[in-house]
Amino acid sequence: MLTEETGELPEVAEDGTMAYTATPLTGDVLDLPVTIQNLQLCTLLQERLGVKVTKVSYPLGCSTETGSASFWSAETTLDGYPDSIADRPAKIGKGINVRLRDDAWVDLVVTGDDAKAMAERIVPLLPR
C-alpha cells in the first residue's frame, strides 16, 4: 500500500495553495497523500513548535516567517548525507535535508536562516 485511506482531501487552489486546517500527526506521515503530509507538518510547526505558518502549498509544504519545511522525494543514496540531525542522516548546505526513514527515499527539507535548528526540533517529533 502506497498511502493510507483518508477522508476528504483538502482543496488545492490553482496557485498550489491550500487553506490551513489543523491536522495532527496520525502515524507515519510519509504514507499519506502529499496534501495531508503538508497539513500535518504545518500543524506540527504551528501547534507543537510555536512557529507561525504563513502559507501551505502543494507540493512545497509550509512557509513560515523565516523559511520553509517540506517532505521531498530524495534523489540520492545515503552516500550523499555525511552529516546528522537528531540521529538521522543529513546533508547540510544551503538548506537542510534529513533522510527520515531507512526504507524510503524521502527527506525533510528545511530552508531559511534557522534551518538547522528548526530541523533539529522537527525530526524528533516525527514518527519513524
Side-chain angles (χ1 to χ4, degrees):
M1 173 166 31
L2 296 177
T3 62
E4 295 178 9
E5 287 188 37
T6 64
E8 200 171 302
L9 294 177
E11 189 172 322
V12 178
E14 282 187 36
D15 66 356
T17 58
M18 300 183 297
Y20 173 77
T21 304
T23 310
L25 291 174
T26 56
D28 188 353
V29 68
L30 301 182
D31 290 334
L32 296 171
V34 173
T35 51
I36 302 299
Q37 288 177 354
N38 291 349
L39 287 171
Q40 287 189 355
L41 180 59
C42 292
T43 300
L44 183 144
L45 290 173
Q46 192 152 295
E47 294 184 2
R48 304 247 339 247
L49 298 180
V51 175
K52 174 81 170 127
V53 171
T54 57
K55 182 168 74 171
V56 184
S57 61
Y58 171 85
L60 301 177
C62 302
S63 296
T64 71
E65 294 172 338
T66 60
S68 67
S70 60
F71 298 113
W72 284 100
S73 295
E75 298 177 2
T76 62
T77 65
L78 289 177
D79 295 340
Y81 292 69
D83 306 303
S84 178
I85 299 276
D87 296 324
R88 295 299 307 155
K91 179 172 41 175
I92 299 173
K94 186 174 180 179
I96 307 293
N97 286 56
V98 182
R99 184 65 50 91
L100 296 174
R101 291 185 2 198
D102 295 333
D103 64 339
W105 284 20
V106 178
D107 289 359
L108 170 70
V109 178
V110 183
T111 63
D113 295 338
D114 61 348
K116 185 173 184 232
M118 182 64 66
E120 289 171 339
R121 293 176 64 199
I122 296 170
V123 173
L125 298 175
L126 296 171
R128 297 186 198 195

